[in-house]
Structures are given as structure tokens and as C-alpha cells.
Amino acid sequence: MANVAVIGAGAWGTALAKLLADKGNPTALWAHRGDLAEQIGRDRQNHRYLPGVELPASLRATGDLEDALRGAELVVVVVPSHALREVIREAGRHIPPDALVCSATKGIENDSLMLMSEVLVDELGPEIEPRLSYLSGPSFAREVAAGQPTTVVVAGRSQRETHEVQRMLATDRFRVYSSDDVVGVEVGGALKNVVAIAAGICDGLGLGHNARAGLITRGLAEIGRMAAAKGANPLTLAGLSGMGDLVLTCTGELSRNRTVGLEMGRGRKLEDILAGLGHVAEGVRTAKSAYDLASKLGVVAPISVEVYRMLYEAKPPPQAVVDLMTRALTRE
């Protein structure tokens, strides 16, 4: 057993906290909102983000970051990508010097175009890098919380520490693979959300299974180009953080990013969709980062470009489809 702190009480953070607490680890779940922490502690459920899921007695919720991190041997960071820098800057003052830190946040920071790994090192300092790892893969929070079989990957630059996090997370229902390709795992986890919005738009427009299959396949090729340009091994994207997460997010009914695209394809305005979603859809912010990063790296990324234009320039989805389908013909 180990003392665990999970930073972020959204659906995914709550599911991971439950998983770790179910293993018998004393687990503190930090919520940004004090009233949410109080509600979780009182009702043993997170009614806002993971309703109906009973939380074990070994899990305690708190709105005090210092309290959550006190004595932690494993820190799992699960906050929205746009909040990571601010939260980790404060958390860095309280993270114990030998604690392992695992990021389960997927995204690319808008202004800096940094991956979450780069943000963490930027804020916590290069000396913490051997203790950092990054969790990704096809994993809807509700299914993990329900104990349904799930396979994920954890990537880190230090084999010993990465294997320790792998061991700490794994259960008979949560299989964890390891990787040393931090960049590949992170790029796959971030950009699949952008492609999932496009897949939802396809379904919302009623374009059929052929269109969705083609989009997922070409989306994977696009993510692979972006990852390679950042120094990753393209083969990583054939694994859980690439193909696995992409298929799940583009087809699963629980996918928030697919839902955003689905409603856009049906003609609803983005602001109305987001207002009724109740959760963060990382792909909306990541679409801007992907657009800017592709331009910076000189990577051909037509799907990311069209998603950006639909989200931020109000381009009509049917026109985006035409423009994608009539691009200059080329080799696969």
C-alpha cells in the first residue's frame, strides 16, 4: 500500500482515485471546489461528475491542496489541460521530495504549445523528470469505476519509476503497459480528441460508416506525423495511446468530444453544446493547439485544420467535408 493523492475530482480523477483506494491505498482526492469535496465526503459519491458510483472508505476528499499532498508517495494529476500550470505551480510547494508524479491529463497548452509533460517539467524543475510519468489509453471513467476490463499505458523516461507506477495502478480489471515514449503517448492522447470531434460531426451529418472509418484511419496518420515531428516513435501510435484511444473516443457513446461533434453536425451552436455538456471536452481547446502546432512544425494536418475552422471560424461542417474530400490526390 502507498499514500496516494489524486489532484482533480472530475470523472476521470474520481475513477482513478476509486481504483487506487479499492486496492487498499489511503487516497486523498483534491477538488478545486470546496463544496464538491464536502459533498463527496458526505455522500460517498461524486454526484456532479460520476453519479451513482459508491466510493470506498479509504478515499477521502479535500479542498485543501497541502492537505491532499501531505505524505503522498504517488501523486496522480488529473486536472483540465488549461488549468494544469496553475494547479501544479501551487502543488509543487507541497509535493513530497520522493513522491512519484503521474499525469493523466491529456492536451496541449494553447499559448506555449507545450505537452503536459513539458508544462510539468517547466513548473516543477528538471530534477523531478525521472519521477514523472504519463497515463493514457482507451479508458472511459465510468467503465473504469464500474470495474470493467480496461487496458492503458504509462510512459516515463526512467524505467524503474515507470514500472513502479505501472505496478501501483494495475489491478485484475485495469491492465497497465509501460512505455518510454513520453512524447508519442502524450501526442496520441491529446490529438485523438480533435479527431473525435470530427468523427462526431461525420455521424451528426449522417455520412455513414465508410466516412467514419476513413476519418479515423487518416486521423491516425495525421497524429503519427505530428508525433514524429515532435521526436516520437510513430509505432507508438499503433498502440493504446494512439489507435486504442482514437477508436474509443471516435465511436464510444460516452465520449464528450464525439458528443460535441455530433451536436455540431446536427446544426447546434458550439456555445450551446458546451453549456449543456457539464464536463470539459478537451478537444475544443486542443483543436487550437493542434492547428498552431501543425503550422509551427510544418506538418500537413488537414483534419485538425478543418476542425479548428469549424470550431473557431464557424465554417459550416458540410463545406469542411467537401474541402477534405477534394484535396489534391496523393499517396497513402
Side-chain angles (χ1 to χ4, degrees):
M1 292 191 297
N3 292 318
V4 176
V6 177
I7 308 304
W12 188 216
T14 304
L16 287 173
K18 180 182 184 300
L19 179 145
L20 286 157
D22 280 341
K23 291 186 70 174
N25 299 297
T27 301
L29 175 62
W30 176 79
H32 176 68
R33 288 172 38 203
D35 61 334
L36 178 59
E38 290 177 9
Q39 181 272 301
I40 293 171
R42 182 183 64 247
D43 301 334
R44 309 310 305 163
Q45 285 191 29
N46 186 336
H47 292 311
R48 177 172 176 81
Y49 294 110
L50 205 61
V53 174
E54 294 294 327
L55 302 176
S58 51
L59 187 157
R60 66 180 183 88
T62 177
D64 184 328
L65 200 51
E66 182 178 5
D67 174 48
L69 290 164
R70 188 176 295 115
E73 297 163 86
L74 172 64
V75 178
V76 183
V77 184
V78 204
V79 298
S81 60
H82 65 272
L84 178 66
R85 186 178 292 276
E86 179 183 354
V87 171
I88 207 64
R89 182 176 294 163
E90 173 63 21
R93 298 165 49 197
H94 310 295
I95 294 174
D98 296 325
L100 300 174
V101 179
C102 179
S103 170
T105 297
K106 300 174 181 178
I108 302 172
E109 194 173 47
N110 278 156
D111 294 335
S112 70
L113 302 183
M114 286 182 174
L115 301 174
M116 299 297 97
S117 58
E118 295 167 324
V119 173
L120 286 167
V121 173
D122 195 40
E123 289 296 330
L124 299 177
E127 64 276 5
I128 201 173
E129 193 160 17
R131 294 188 281 122
L132 292 176
S133 58
Y134 309 90
L135 180 68
S136 192
S139 48
F140 284 147
R142 181 159 292 279
E143 293 188 2
V144 171
Q148 293 182 292
T150 300
T151 49
V152 295
V153 59
V154 61
R157 293 192 168 91
S158 174
Q159 187 176 80
R160 183 174 68 86
E161 282 80 359
T162 302
H163 287 174
E164 180 64 10
V165 174
Q166 179 185 24
R167 182 194 65 78
M168 294 170 81
L169 289 171
T171 76
D172 61 352
R173 294 285 173 167
F174 195 74
R175 182 168 175 80
V176 185
Y177 289 84
S178 64
S179 170
D180 61 3
D181 188 3
V182 170
V183 173
V185 166
E186 283 214 280
V187 171
L191 295 187
K192 56 91 182 179
N193 287 326
V194 180
V195 180
I197 292 175
I201 289 170
C202 274
D203 290 345
L205 291 170
L207 300 183
H209 295 93
N210 293 351
R212 185 170 64 185
L215 179 77
I216 291 172
T217 306
R218 296 311 303 162
L220 182 64
E222 186 169 306
I223 294 170
R225 289 195 296 270
M226 294 275 272
K230 287 281 291 179
N233 181 350
L235 289 177
T236 298
L237 283 305
L240 291 164
S241 66
M243 175 59 81
D245 213 356
L246 184 64
V247 170
L248 179 75
T249 315
C250 287
T251 63
E253 298 296 327
L254 295 174
S255 168
R256 296 191 292 270
N257 293 285
R258 178 182 176 274
T259 297
V260 169
L262 187 69
E263 295 303 318
M264 287 180 64
R266 291 170 174 169
R268 291 186 63 198
K269 293 182 178 180
L270 179 62
E271 55 267 29
D272 295 336
I273 299 168
L274 296 179
L277 198 60
H279 296 253
V280 173
E282 286 284 9
V284 175
R285 289 180 180 271
T286 304
K288 183 180 186 305
S289 299
Y291 177 84
D292 292 338
L293 187 60
S295 177
K296 178 182 177 180
L297 297 174
V299 172
V300 177
I303 295 171
S304 296
V305 167
E306 293 301 333
V307 171
Y308 170 82
R309 288 175 175 162
M310 286 184 282
L311 291 174
Y312 290 95
E313 297 177 357
K315 183 172 184 176
Q319 185 59 52
V321 174
V322 171
D323 290 347
L324 279 172
M325 292 297 290
T326 57
R327 294 174 61 243
L329 300 178
T330 184
R331 290 176 58 88
E332 186 178 28

